[in-house]
Amino acid sequence: MTNASSTVEVDLGGRLIEIPKDGLFDRYRMDVPLDEVAADPRVPSVGFFRRLPKTQVQSPIGTTWTPNFYYAMSSARLTMIAPSSAIRKRIPDELSPLEIAPGFGLVSVMLFRYDVCDIDFYTEAAVGVAVRPARHGGFSTAAADLVAALGDDHLHSYVLALPVNTEIAQVRGHDGYGFPKWVTDLDVGIDQARTTARISNADGGVDIAFSAPTPKQKTFETGKKVSTLTSYTRRNGAWLSTLNQTNILASGTSLFPGGVDLTLGNGRMSDDLRALRPIRTIRFDSTTSAQAALHMPVPVSVR
């Protein structure tokens, strides 16, 4: 068993970071044998990953394998309505908000807990907005885009804030993918009864805190419900798109949920969320069991 207090230093694209000694990344550098992962009691199965062969690629963080596999994870998403005018002020001009009604778009607070993955345990949270797919003009497709986004089939997003609680997740996410990541104390708990999170600010106080009853969970066979998320980022002036495929195993949804406690304190996440001016919560999704494959970003033309 890995000693959580024992670390080693590794080089990622010229940056020296500390990682857990004898953890999955220390031993396998993103190319973990699936048979070994399958022996971990926290991992439901590895069939989803056997159909996704890895490829070795060059990246700003050095030679790496893609996709990044998340073998056991949970997540949650609180979706709110916000004025499109506020969203447009917070996203690049090349992107357009996905509107739920004329003048109103969708913003989300997202929570993630990765119990077993190629870069070891970590948690993260996000403030993001739903955007129209790149180079996907035409109002005739707006309704279909909205149905897909709300149904979790294929959401396109632009992330404003994405704090994490480990250095390797920050370096890979920021330098390799172009996401606005930083390291902070970040606790996420998602179980059958309740979904909670606390994201700390730079002073150790509350940036965002969240608590809500977990919606009743429905289980799915592996591979039967796979959602996709395409995120747009810019790195060195170039646009990139990153694909994330999530194999949902147990999930539930509450529409116009009650009992949601979202506390905005002081910090980067709460500042971004306030600037978006959300006016109403319309949906809460909580996934107690899932797996994911996060692909390395590829160049994209957004217009």
Side-chain angles (χ1 to χ4, degrees):
M1 181 178 294
T2 300
N3 182 353
S5 64
S6 179
T7 63
V8 294
E9 195 173 63
V10 298
D11 185 319
L12 279 187
R15 295 181 62 177
L16 296 178
I17 62 171
E18 299 287 332
I19 63 167
K21 179 178 174 57
D22 295 328
L24 291 182
F25 189 81
D26 183 28
R27 286 180 289 160
Y28 299 114
R29 294 298 196 273
M30 303 284 298
D31 192 22
V32 182
L34 290 179
D35 288 342
E36 175 163 337
V37 176
D40 190 320
R42 297 171 295 176
V43 177
S45 71
V46 294
F48 174 70
F49 303 103
R50 294 195 189 279
R51 299 187 292 271
L52 288 169
K54 289 200 175 203
T55 303
Q56 196 172 44
V57 297
Q58 299 299 316
S59 78
I61 51 174
T63 303
T64 188
W65 291 88
T66 185
N68 184 7
F69 286 165
Y70 298 83
Y71 307 100
M73 60 168 284
S74 52
S75 65
R77 186 176 78 197
L78 187 70
T79 303
M80 296 163 280
I81 300 174
S84 299
S85 57
I87 295 174
R88 288 191 178 97
K89 290 178 181 179
R90 302 294 295 171
I91 64 176
D93 293 339
E94 295 93 330
L95 300 178
S96 299
L98 176 65
E99 294 194 332
I100 191 171
F104 295 95
L106 300 173
V107 307
S108 297
V109 173
M110 294 164 280
L111 309 169
F112 304 91
R113 179 186 174 94
Y114 306 114
D115 286 293
V116 185
C117 78
D118 286 335
I119 60 172
D120 301 303
F121 168 80
Y122 73 100
T123 56
E124 68 180 348
V127 172
V129 300
V131 297
R132 299 289 303 280
R135 303 189 65 83
H136 189 48
F139 291 102
S140 62
T141 60
D145 294 339
L146 180 59
V147 170
L150 287 176
D152 232 5
D153 295 323
H154 195 162
L155 180 66
H156 293 252
S157 76
Y158 183 78
V159 177
L160 299 175
L162 195 61
V164 295
N165 74 333
T166 66
E167 194 177 13
I168 186 172
Q170 190 275 330
V171 172
R172 285 182 55 85
H174 181 272
D175 296 5
Y177 294 80
F179 285 117
K181 288 196 174 188
W182 70 93
V183 178
T184 191
D185 288 336
L186 199 161
D187 296 317
V188 174
I190 301 173
D191 59 29
Q192 297 280 341
R194 199 150 196 90
T195 298
T196 61
R198 185 187 188 278
I199 298 94
S200 298
N201 58 27
D203 299 321
V206 173
D207 190 342
I208 284 182
F210 178 82
S211 179
T214 298
K216 183 178 179 180
Q217 298 290 286
K218 180 179 179 181
T219 59
F220 303 90
E221 292 182 19
T222 186
K224 295 298 184 181
K225 184 174 176 61
V226 178
S227 66
T228 58
L229 171 67
T230 296
S231 300
Y232 300 107
T233 58
R234 283 192 293 193
R235 191 181 64 211
N236 298 326
W239 278 100
L240 304 170
S241 71
T242 298
L243 177 66
N244 185 27
Q245 299 169 286
T246 301
N247 180 33
I248 298 173
L249 302 173
S251 185
T253 298
S254 294
L255 298 177
F256 303 102
V260 172
D261 183 6
L262 177 64
T263 301
L264 301 187
N266 296 295
R268 294 170 63 175
M269 282 195 77
S270 51
D271 287 347
D272 279 323
L273 192 56
R274 285 191 183 96
L276 293 168
R277 294 163 42 205
I279 58 176
R280 187 175 187 184
T281 298
I282 62 170
R283 178 172 172 144
F284 176 50
D285 298 272
S286 191
T287 299
T288 57
S289 180
Q291 300 173 318
L294 178 66
H295 298 257
M296 288 297 293
V298 296
V300 66
S301 172
V302 296
R303 278 190 175 177

